[in-house]
Amino acid sequence: MIIFINVILIALLYPAIKPPNPDGPVGKMIPVTTPDEKNRVAHASGISFIPPPNWGQIRDLGPEKHWLRIAPRGSSKRRDLAVLIIGKVGAYNHEDRLPDRNDLEQFKCVKFQGFPAYERMVVVRKDSFDDPARSDYELYINRHGEWWNVHFLISEEMTELPAMMRKYINMIRFPPKAVEEAEQSMKSEQ
């Protein structure tokens, strides 16, 4: 019985006495401040973005793969409560592909940075006793025949992308296509 009481006390008190996150403050699932251009980060693949405050890059596949994943800074023992994934369709694996025509009919046609795009936000899982809710925002952009995907996952039930998160997504810059790079290179040599 004494062991059981000690375990309960430790479980209740540990969050109050645990050491601070060595990486810095914990990030919010939805940023509350607007993007600041001075915080822009360029990925080796050519993607650049402005991470929300206290968000950190978690995973990238290197400069040859146009794919990265960032999330609010937090305890490594918790699951990520929000994640932003930016990538070229097909850059991660064979399952990372453009939805078929029937799936795209469930998306709204929009313009993103002047390019044709498809977006949607859906509740994937409702909140339950043992699992938090999960909603997914997906944006597919056709940039001169190259398809890109921006995916925002959040542990809340929502059917509309929060306005502040949209501001951050709108600030993403994609690398030029190989053809555009070659043309720019030729112009600079002349």
Side-chain angles (χ1 to χ4, degrees):
M1 185 65 166
I2 292 175
I3 293 173
F4 177 73
I5 292 171
N6 283 335
V7 168
I8 297 295
L9 284 174
I10 289 170
L12 292 173
L13 295 176
Y14 181 74
I17 62 171
K18 74 179 178 182
N21 186 342
D23 297 330
V26 172
K28 296 190 179 302
M29 288 192 305
I30 301 169
V32 293
T33 58
T34 57
D36 187 345
E37 189 63 39
K38 72 178 181 187
N39 295 329
R40 182 170 291 280
V41 174
H43 182 260
S45 70
I47 299 168
S48 78
F49 63 98
I50 300 171
N54 302 313
W55 280 47
Q57 187 169 324
I58 291 178
R59 185 171 180 208
D60 82 63
L61 301 176
E64 67 284 348
K65 298 278 189 174
H66 295 84
W67 188 91
L68 62 107
R69 177 181 186 271
I70 58 173
R73 195 180 302 137
S75 169
S76 60
K77 294 178 183 167
R78 288 186 3 198
R79 75 175 74 175
D80 293 323
L81 298 178
V83 175
L84 178 63
I85 301 167
I86 306 165
K88 191 175 188 179
V89 173
Y92 182 54
N93 62 34
H94 67 281
E95 293 173 1
D96 173 28
R97 63 186 184 342
L98 188 64
D100 64 28
R101 284 265 181 234
N102 293 335
D103 289 338
L104 281 179
E105 288 176 4
Q106 299 171 16
F107 287 69
K108 178 179 163 188
C109 290
V110 296
K111 285 278 189 189
F112 182 79
Q113 299 176 352
F115 295 99
Y118 298 88
E119 75 174 350
R120 75 173 177 183
M121 183 144 197
V122 295
V123 175
V124 175
R125 178 179 60 231
K126 294 197 176 279
D127 198 19
S128 67
F129 171 73
D130 60 345
D131 237 354
R134 183 178 132 199
S135 298
D136 288 4
Y137 169 79
E138 293 178 278
L139 174 67
Y140 287 93
I141 310 128
N142 182 351
R143 300 184 80 249
H144 304 296
E146 283 185 339
W147 284 92
W148 290 83
N149 176 248
V150 176
H151 197 161
F152 175 63
L153 298 86
I154 187 163
S155 292
E156 287 190 9
E157 289 181 38
M158 52 179 62
T159 56
E160 215 172 290
L161 183 67
M164 190 60 72
M165 199 65 215
R166 185 172 298 280
K167 288 180 182 182
Y168 280 88
I169 288 172
N170 286 341
M171 299 299 286
I172 295 170
R173 290 187 190 148
F174 299 93
K177 283 180 64 171
V179 174
E180 293 171 355
E181 289 175 344
E183 289 173 359
Q184 290 174 352
S185 175
M186 288 174 54
K187 286 179 185 177
S188 65
E189 289 175 4
Q190 294 174 352

